[in-house]
Amino acid sequence: MAELTPEVRAKHWAKTKNLTIATLVVWFIFSFGIHWFANSLNSISFFGFPFGWYMAAQGSLIVFVIQIFYLAHAQQKIDEEFGVAEDDAQG
Amino acid sequence: MKSSSFIDNLPKVYAIYTGGFIAFILLMALMEQAGMSGDTIGVLFVAFTVVIYAAIGWLSRTMQVEAYYVAGRQVPAVFNGMATAADWMSGASFVAMAGGIYFGGYGYLAFVVGWTGGYVLVASLMAPYLRKFGCYTVPDYIGTRYGGNTARLMAVIVLVVASFTYVTAQIDATGTIASRVLQIPYTVGVWFGLLGILLCSMLGGMRAVTWTQVAQYIVLIIAYLLPVFWMSNKQGFGLIPEFAAGHAVQRLMELETLHQVGTLLPTEKFAGLSALVTPHATAGTGMAAWKFTTLVACMMAGTASLPHILMRYFTTPSVKAARDSVAWSLLFIFMLYFTAPALATFVKLQVLDPELASGIIGKAFSDVQSLDWIQKWSNVGFLKIVDSNGDGILQINEFFMRGDIVVLATPEIAGLPAVISGLVAAGGMAAAMSTADGLLLAIANALSHDLYYKMIDPKADTKRRLIVARVLLLMLGAAGAFVASLHLTNILGAVAWAFDFACSGLFFPLVLGVWWKRANREGAIAGMFFGFVAGSAYLYYVYNGGAPWLGIDALRFGMIGMPVSLVAMVVVTLLTKAPDKEIQDMVDNMRVPKGNTVLSATH
């Protein structure tokens, strides 16, 4: 680990933190924000579903799945950029 | 079962297995045509799958520490995703969740949102960092990151309480299924279920549990999806039930007006059984919205603190694989959760819609009473109909059912072939067994590794450590079965408690251990202790009839434990001195994937 200077570590961690914060903001909106207004959203029809019901039954879930796949991809890119990815990372 | 060729052949092995399972389903369908009774088919389904799991468990037996605790750290991301999905989706998800939505409507979707969104927390805050740490158990991480036996012991205590609460619910679920399928008393069913669970985990530890969980995932997902697709197509709603559910929800709302759901109250009270009195899609504002979001918060934080889930990510070959594996886990979990609300909607429609052959509400009481499924489930005490007003017609408020049986009874309610009932029973059994295995292993590992090896007898040799682990597994299983047979709360309730215990005690010490370098031993101990005690004391208060404060009831007591834990941890940390350089370097090391794990491979 000798080649990792404190500066590189700090920059890598700053970028990692930003990615994590962005992830958690989106997560917060779809976990809490949108469901708080479910009652009003229910008056909108979405493919036949009341929209508030739809977001809790399916919509938020789809967002979470996409978010985690994106996070895994983006974090790997950050790790590679700073040369801290594992050398022989397997699938 | 440990050579690398086995790992390379995994896709082939499980493809053959899946093909074999489908062939078995077809064979059973043929037998049904040939006149075999539905009861026999049910028994064969459960027996066949349990024997397969036990065989995998036997083939994966091991006496190596790394294989026993973390499956040799060679489980590929996709397979670990499947194993985690089975580990995660318990009797509560498979058997009870759709039933909760069936009776409780929109409010219960909080479980659907909470139990999926929690994985965003696992992926972003925990899993990759804990994998880099290289620990065997969650208390192992707490004990090393914060240092000292007190922190380790506190983590062990929270883990044991949360996981044990959870495991009783799973044994309860296996007992419920076994009693119905094998037509034996519930208390005997519980012990039968336990036997199957122990066969899988006793000999091979994490390695055996991993490969049986993958097998169990395949069974449970087929068993969950098939009936829903069948119903949706049979009733002409559409090919893909999840898309077609929209119109079903609308139709249901019309029928609810017809049957006066929401205005009629249950005519009688039966312990453990409920009547359909809550409208399906009504969301509510103010307190209802608050209750929804607080339940979501507790379930999410609990997800990210439950050791049997976190320890699955210790088994991957790399940090990257751990991260990818969380994504695969959620995708596999999503397949079931995305379907559960549709399932609840369709089953409710089956019962409520007078135009469907399966509709019973508004029909003649004597006709309903003579239905096969009504009689069978009544016989085991999970269902009741009473003609309270004596008008000879079954009203919505005269039909009582245990929420936990909705999914299991679905094929019979919808008039699907008996082979589907057998399949669903096998799926429910797989879900409950896989989670119970993961939980029992988490508890036994924490006690054998952290309590016995790290604190009581650090000189114990490998053989002794692994024998202690197995003896503990047996004792815990027996204790779990005993508590389950007492039937203290329903499955969903007990599982929610487990999440609340876990997030009250462990969430902030786990997160801040990675994300706040300044966090120290004194703070972590205070966080675990005060959070856990505050949450438990509050549960005790509301469980014994205390008035919930701000609508925070027994399902949501994590809302009390978590803030207390956070405040205690931050305040005490800031009042005491910062951790030394060695610990700070450890945190730095944890934050980059490259390089050796913090703890050496065998410790």
Side-chain angles (χ1 to χ4, degrees):
Chain A
M1 303 290 283
E3 75 276 23
L4 268 183
T5 63
E7 291 74 34
V8 173
R9 277 182 188 278
K11 277 189 188 155
H12 169 258
W13 190 241
K15 258 201 155 166
T16 303
K17 252 194 210 160
N18 286 341
L19 175 66
T20 307
I21 291 167
T23 305
L24 293 180
V25 168
V26 176
W27 165 82
F28 186 87
I29 294 169
F30 286 93
S31 298
F32 307 108
I34 202 154
H35 305 301
W36 190 264
F37 303 102
N39 192 49
S40 331
L41 293 173
N42 262 349
S43 55
I44 306 169
S45 176
F46 182 80
F47 290 107
F49 288 95
F51 191 57
W53 165 278
Y54 179 81
M55 286 314 292
Q58 302 185 1
S60 288
L61 280 62
I62 295 172
V63 173
F64 297 146
V65 173
I66 296 171
Q67 261 201 297
I68 301 188
F69 273 101
Y70 174 77
L71 175 73
H73 171 78
Q75 183 66 50
Q76 178 65 15
K77 279 213 147 149
I78 293 176
D79 292 345
E80 280 164 9
E81 180 188 339
F82 292 95
V84 298
E86 294 145 300
D87 304 323
D88 55 346
Q90 308 154 34
Chain B
M1 300 262 294
K2 69 171 188 140
S3 61
S4 59
S5 73
F6 169 69
I7 299 291
D8 295 336
N9 281 328
L10 277 175
K12 209 163 101 192
V13 170
Y14 282 106
I16 294 171
Y17 165 82
T18 310
F21 182 59
I22 291 171
F24 179 76
I25 299 174
L26 294 175
L27 176 72
M28 286 297 113
L30 279 176
M31 299 298 259
E32 189 180 356
Q33 294 298 320
M36 191 187 266
S37 80
D39 291 345
T40 317
I41 291 179
V43 173
L44 284 177
F45 254 107
V46 171
F48 176 74
T49 48
V50 172
V51 166
I52 298 244
Y53 310 146
I56 299 175
W58 167 255
L59 287 172
S60 309
R61 64 193 181 275
T62 184
M63 269 320 251
Q64 285 172 307
V65 173
E66 216 186 24
Y68 189 88
Y69 282 119
V70 288
R73 295 200 205 275
Q74 51 175 353
V75 185
V78 177
F79 286 95
N80 193 49
M82 272 194 229
T84 311
D87 195 27
W88 173 250
M89 289 189 287
S90 59
S93 300
F94 191 99
V95 180
M97 192 170 62
I101 303 169
Y102 177 93
F103 281 111
Y106 177 83
Y108 276 80
L109 290 178
F111 284 110
V112 177
V113 176
W115 286 344
T116 49
Y119 278 84
V120 178
L121 298 178
V122 174
S124 59
L125 299 175
M126 312 254 193
Y129 307 105
L130 296 193
R131 171 64 187 85
K132 179 63 194 295
F133 205 82
C135 41
Y136 282 162
T137 65
V138 167
D140 205 11
Y141 160 72
I142 297 273
T144 316
R145 162 65 178 85
Y146 295 111
N149 281 346
T150 317
R152 195 182 282 268
L153 182 65
M154 268 313 299
V156 170
I157 292 171
V158 180
L159 179 151
V160 169
V161 172
S163 306
F164 191 76
T165 311
Y166 204 157
V167 91
T168 56
Q170 301 317 314
I171 298 177
D172 181 352
T174 54
T176 304
I177 298 167
S179 69
R180 168 66 185 80
V181 171
L182 309 177
Q183 307 274 333
I184 50 176
Y186 170 79
T187 36
V188 182
V190 162
W191 292 98
F192 174 83
L194 177 67
L195 187 69
I197 292 162
L198 288 176
L199 279 174
C200 302
S201 51
M202 272 285 285
L203 298 169
M206 196 59 169
R207 184 163 77 189
V209 166
T210 301
W211 305 125
T212 40
Q213 280 174 339
V214 176
Q216 284 160 334
Y217 175 76
I218 293 167
V219 169
L220 79 88
I221 201 70
I222 294 176
Y224 204 85
L225 297 185
L226 193 62
V228 189
F229 274 81
W230 195 315
M231 270 196 289
S232 177
N233 284 288
K234 196 179 141 201
Q235 287 172 10
F237 275 105
L239 192 63
I240 312 286
E242 291 84 354
F243 300 147
H247 296 285
V249 172
Q250 275 188 347
R251 171 87 180 122
L252 203 54
M253 286 156 85
E254 292 164 27
L255 290 169
E256 284 178 341
T257 325
L258 177 78
H259 293 306
Q260 296 175 275
V261 175
T263 36
L264 292 178
L265 293 173
T267 54
E268 316 212 0
K269 256 193 157 357
F270 298 107
L273 308 183
S274 346
L276 256 176
V277 289
T278 313
H280 199 56
T282 310
T285 51
M287 184 55 108
W290 164 253
K291 288 192 105 169
F292 189 95
T293 42
T294 47
L295 187 56
V296 168
C298 291
M299 294 307 111
M300 285 185 174
T303 304
S305 328
L306 275 167
H308 75 291
I309 291 303
L310 295 177
M311 77 177 189
R312 284 242 45 102
Y313 300 108
F314 304 163
T315 65
T316 59
S318 66
V319 175
K320 179 183 183 298
R323 234 185 259 132
D324 293 342
S325 170
V326 185
W328 287 110
S329 307
L330 185 60
L331 183 70
F332 291 128
I333 292 165
F334 168 80
M335 308 246 286
L336 188 145
Y337 278 41
F338 174 66
T339 312
L343 175 89
T345 308
F346 285 127
V347 185
K348 216 165 175 176
L349 208 54
Q350 299 282 359
V351 173
L352 261 56
D353 195 337
E355 285 168 24
L356 294 172
S358 55
I360 57 166
I361 306 299
K363 298 272 171 77
F365 188 81
S366 51
D367 289 352
V368 176
Q369 211 167 20
S370 60
L371 287 174
D372 204 30
W373 68 271
I374 297 273
Q375 286 184 348
K376 276 197 177 139
W377 289 100
S378 302
N379 286 345
V380 279
F382 293 156
L383 187 146
K384 238 182 180 80
I385 52 171
V386 273
D387 190 13
S388 307
N389 60 2
D391 65 352
I393 307 268
L394 181 68
Q395 267 86 24
I396 189 86
N397 56 348
E398 297 172 337
F399 173 59
F400 304 87
M401 203 165 149
R402 189 173 157 195
D404 296 341
I405 66 161
V406 170
V407 171
L408 298 172
T410 293
E412 294 160 276
I413 296 176
L416 305 182
V419 62
I420 303 289
S421 296
L423 175 65
V424 170
M429 205 71 182
M433 283 177 67
S434 57
T435 305
D437 269 324
L439 287 162
L440 283 177
L441 201 60
I443 305 173
N445 287 0
L447 293 178
S448 67
H449 181 75
D450 294 290
L451 198 64
Y452 177 73
Y453 178 59
K454 289 283 176 182
M455 292 165 71
I456 295 173
D457 184 8
K459 291 193 196 79
D461 60 15
T462 307
K463 198 172 158 211
R464 201 180 166 82
R465 286 162 71 185
L466 295 185
I467 287 171
V468 167
R470 282 167 185 147
V471 171
L472 282 165
L473 208 54
L474 263 180
M475 288 174 5
L476 286 162
F482 174 72
V483 175
S485 64
L486 300 176
H487 233 345
L488 294 176
T489 171
N490 66 359
I491 296 173
L492 213 51
V495 169
W497 286 6
F499 280 72
D500 286 304
F501 278 129
C503 69
S504 295
L506 286 173
F507 184 70
F508 286 108
L510 284 170
V511 173
L512 296 180
V514 180
W515 292 88
W516 193 31
K517 223 190 264 185
R518 174 72 171 78
N520 65 11
R521 177 189 313 165
E522 292 76 10
I525 294 171
M528 286 186 278
F529 179 77
F530 288 106
F532 183 67
V533 168
S536 309
Y538 187 79
L539 172 67
Y540 183 79
Y541 163 73
V542 280
Y543 187 70
N544 288 303
W549 180 64
L550 286 177
I552 297 170
D553 55 20
L555 289 180
R556 303 167 171 77
F557 68 85
M559 285 310 285
I560 302 293
M562 278 194 289
V564 171
S565 170
L566 176 63
V567 170
M569 181 161 178
V570 171
V571 169
V572 173
T573 295
L574 291 176
L575 288 177
T576 46
K577 71 177 179 40
D580 54 29
K581 178 143 186 345
E582 197 189 337
I583 300 278
Q584 302 214 13
D585 287 346
M586 194 189 277
V587 178
D588 274 332
N589 183 7
M590 206 179 359
R591 291 174 176 182
V592 292
K594 192 174 180 160
N596 294 327
T597 52
V598 173
L599 287 167
S600 64
T602 48
H603 63 279

